[in-house]
């Protein structure tokens, strides 16, 4: 499996899992470091570790050294950014087009990585599928941007 495809495929899992951990840490720190607040946010912490951490283990076995470093940066970066700027992100994603634009951009990135990996292997089997993913993701991104500009 090409490293570029592996990064593009696992990226949403690392970012979502890291964001869940960051949100839980933000809640715990805001409410005070007590066992009760840790217990109240334990599911979100566990979900983030499993959702973002298990693909990290997969990437450790399937990718090269730079893939592992990039995965760790994505995972820990999303934890730190969400824990540090949680209110700002919540305000940002209150706009209806922001989620649509973000989802479309991630979808297009996966499609472009799939297309690039098929082109690098000189096979045309998945080229059509990757192009469709990239096209649908690009169109979804443009719809999200249009919603943001309209708002």
């Amino acid at each position: 499996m090409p490293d570029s495809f592996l990064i593009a495929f696992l990226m949403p899992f690392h970012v979502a899992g890291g964001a869940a951990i960051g949100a839980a840490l933000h809640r715990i720190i805001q409410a005070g470091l007590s066992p009760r607040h840790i217990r109240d946010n334990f599911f979100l912490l566990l979900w983030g570790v499993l959702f973002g951490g298990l693909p990290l283990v997969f990437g450790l076995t399937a990718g090269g050294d730079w893939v592992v470093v990039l995965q760790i940066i994505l995972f820990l970066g999303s934890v730190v950014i969400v824990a540090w700027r949680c209110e700002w992100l919540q305000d940002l994603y209150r706009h209806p087009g922001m989620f649509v634009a973000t989802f479309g951009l991630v979808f297009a990135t996966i499609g472009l990585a799939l297309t690039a990996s098929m082109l690098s292997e000189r096979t045309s089997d998945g080229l059509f599928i990757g192009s469709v993913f990239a096209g649908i993701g690009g169109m979804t991104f443009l719809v999200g941007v249009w919603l943001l500009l309209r708002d």
Side-chain angles (χ1 to χ4, degrees):
M1 181 180 311
D3 288 345
S4 60
F5 176 73
L6 186 65
I7 287 295
F9 180 74
L10 295 178
M11 175 188 60
F13 297 103
H14 297 313
V15 171
I21 294 171
L25 288 176
H26 179 78
R27 289 179 186 173
I28 291 169
I29 291 169
Q30 292 289 31
L33 292 171
S34 69
R36 178 177 169 264
H37 295 113
I38 294 171
R39 184 198 69 213
D40 291 345
N41 292 292
F42 183 74
F43 175 77
L44 195 56
L45 284 169
L46 182 65
W47 185 87
V49 167
L50 293 176
F51 198 76
L54 287 179
L56 182 65
V57 173
F58 176 72
L60 289 172
T61 60
D65 292 338
W66 75 273
V67 173
V68 173
V69 171
L70 190 56
Q71 285 181 310
I72 292 171
I73 289 171
L74 281 169
F75 186 63
L76 294 179
S78 63
V79 170
V80 170
I81 288 171
V82 171
W84 178 46
R85 302 291 291 174
C86 193
E87 287 91 9
W88 178 75
L89 288 169
Q90 287 172 343
D91 289 341
L92 185 66
Y93 277 91
R94 281 192 190 9
H95 300 287
M98 193 63 186
F99 178 77
V100 176
T102 304
F103 180 77
L105 190 60
V106 169
F107 208 76
T109 303
I110 293 170
L112 288 173
L114 180 61
T115 303
S117 69
M118 291 300 146
L119 287 174
S120 69
E121 292 180 7
R122 306 221 188 272
T123 61
S124 61
D125 298 342
L127 187 60
F128 177 73
I129 295 171
S131 300
V132 168
F133 267 70
I136 291 172
M139 292 301 291
T140 307
F141 173 73
L142 290 176
V143 167
V145 170
W146 177 72
L147 287 171
L148 284 171
L149 291 175
R150 196 181 72 174
D151 192 27

